[in-house]
Amino acid sequence: MSHHFYITTTLPYVNADPHIGFGWEITEADVIARYQRLMGNQVIFNTGTDEHGLKIYQKALEAGQEPQAYTDEYAARFSALRDLLDLSYTHFIRTTEEHHVRAAQAFWRRCRDNDDIYQAAYEVKYCVGCELAKTESELVNGRCPLHPNLELEIRTEENYYFRFSKYQSALLDLYQNNPEFVKPPERFKEIISFVENGLQDFSISRLKENMPWGVPVPDDDSQVMYVWFDALVNYISTLGWTGDDSAESTPTEFENYWPGLQVAGKDNLRQQSAMWQAMLMSAKLPPSKQILINGFISVGGQKMSKSLGNVISPADLVERYGVDGARYTLLSLSVFNGDQDVTWERFDTQYTADLANGLGNLASRVAKMAEKTGLTYTGDSAVFDSGYLKLMNKHELTSALQLTIDWVRETDQFLSDKKPWLQEGEDQRRLLDQAVGQIIKIAYHLQPFMPATAKKLLGHFTAPQISAMTPLFPRLG
């Protein structure tokens, strides 16, 4: 029976080019979306760009551009990831789009009508890099640990606040009733502890005269929405949510697909699993289904930075390893399981061992022997392995991918043991038929991870006549 399935990434800020961290996140989401389609489900896969806030406004001014022109340019760079990484997203939302602006304003009115928005003086230490207010306990040497080179700003102005404190008990109930609401477990423990320690209401607007680049606050021309409040609403505005619950309103994707699965980095933990959930409660909407949290990626033990010259982009990976090779290197990182440290040497070693010398070499060897013997595969059609299904249903993507690559090694060992090239006649054909069956099984399970490679292998080894093939993964120069 077909079901509706919704998955969304966070929306990256359009103040820099896409880096490996977001490439990792969106490729993970793509694997989950592709797997759900293979299971026969109807899938909406959402991504896009977050285009409001002080950080983007300042970057646009530095570049001598109007904010809209600046965001148009960078949004196109994120949209280009679709072809670069062979992504299958269905929705790409920009928070400057008119339908999103209307939805954000409708959402604001919902929360305001529930008495969860009020005005008060606002004075905080604010990190422009995070677009978040910071408490003293979050600072290291008086600086934001994520942006230690940025001076914190002290801000005082009359703003609107959201009654975050009102939702402490409701959030803790949500967590208790959904023991896998946030994965991995250490991130779930972190957010539970954060909420248990008490919640402070947070500012959800800025004076337009100080920060004009934002969604206008309904019924107050002097204020624009705080960037997080506006951006979080994208998860439902992309589904056509308008806030109109009247019987005459046209049903939208929201009714069929929400709630959904959200993929995010650990710097988004609080916003996704506490702030957004409280906002949904205020608007009388269902909470998210589950939130999967990635760690950070460092390079050679150091944080990625332009000044160090160690930034790795998705385009860099594709240039070196090809599209599916790049997807493989990203997905072989430990998904939803803490921070990851990478080096080019590590990626090269993995690509060479698992793809060039592994899967690619196996396919070439077997195809060549099959051509010599005039083999046509006569075995059974592939079906999904139960262990693989169990891992994929729990979003343990790296383990499912590793299971599949283990079958490559097992097939290599089978060939080494049986030596079909030394056999003749029916014995040789039977052994080769088994090897081809294993390659078909491997390709079938690689479909969510390496779609182009899987399609090529399945087509090649189920053809009426199997021919020799050029190596799938060229050796590195």
Side-chain angles (χ1 to χ4, degrees), residues 4 232 260 279 306 308 336 364 410 446:
H4 291 107
L232 288 166
M279 288 163 59
K306 288 183 180 178
L308 290 174
F336 313 130
S364 295
E410 290 173 11
L446 282 177

Side-chain angles (χ1 to χ4, degrees), residues 197-255:
N197 286 335
L199 301 176
Q200 294 183 338
D201 297 350
F202 58 86
S203 170
I204 57 171
S205 74
R206 297 289 180 265
L207 280 174
K208 190 173 183 178
E209 65 185 56
N210 294 337
M211 211 294 292
W213 186 239
V215 175
V217 167
D219 310 313
D220 188 341
D221 292 338
S222 69
Q223 304 261 346
V224 297
M225 289 186 196
Y226 168 68
V227 63
W228 281 111
F229 193 95
D230 142 39
L232 288 166
V233 178
N234 95 84
Y235 301 129
I236 59 175
S237 68
T238 195
L239 299 176
W241 183 84
T242 62
D244 184 358
D245 291 335
S246 66
E248 294 78 23
S249 64
T250 304
T252 64
E253 291 173 337
F254 175 80
E255 277 76 26

Side-chain angles (χ1 to χ4, degrees), residues 4 33 71 117 140 160 175 214 216 235 286 356 370:
H4 291 107
T71 57
I117 293 178
V140 176
Y160 289 95
Y175 303 154
Y235 301 129

Side-chain angles (χ1 to χ4, degrees), residues 294-313:
N294 272 330
F296 290 151
I297 294 180
S298 57
V299 179
Q302 295 180 300
K303 183 179 178 181
M304 276 190 290
S305 73
K306 288 183 180 178
S307 60
L308 290 174
N310 67 347
V311 175
I312 298 176
S313 73

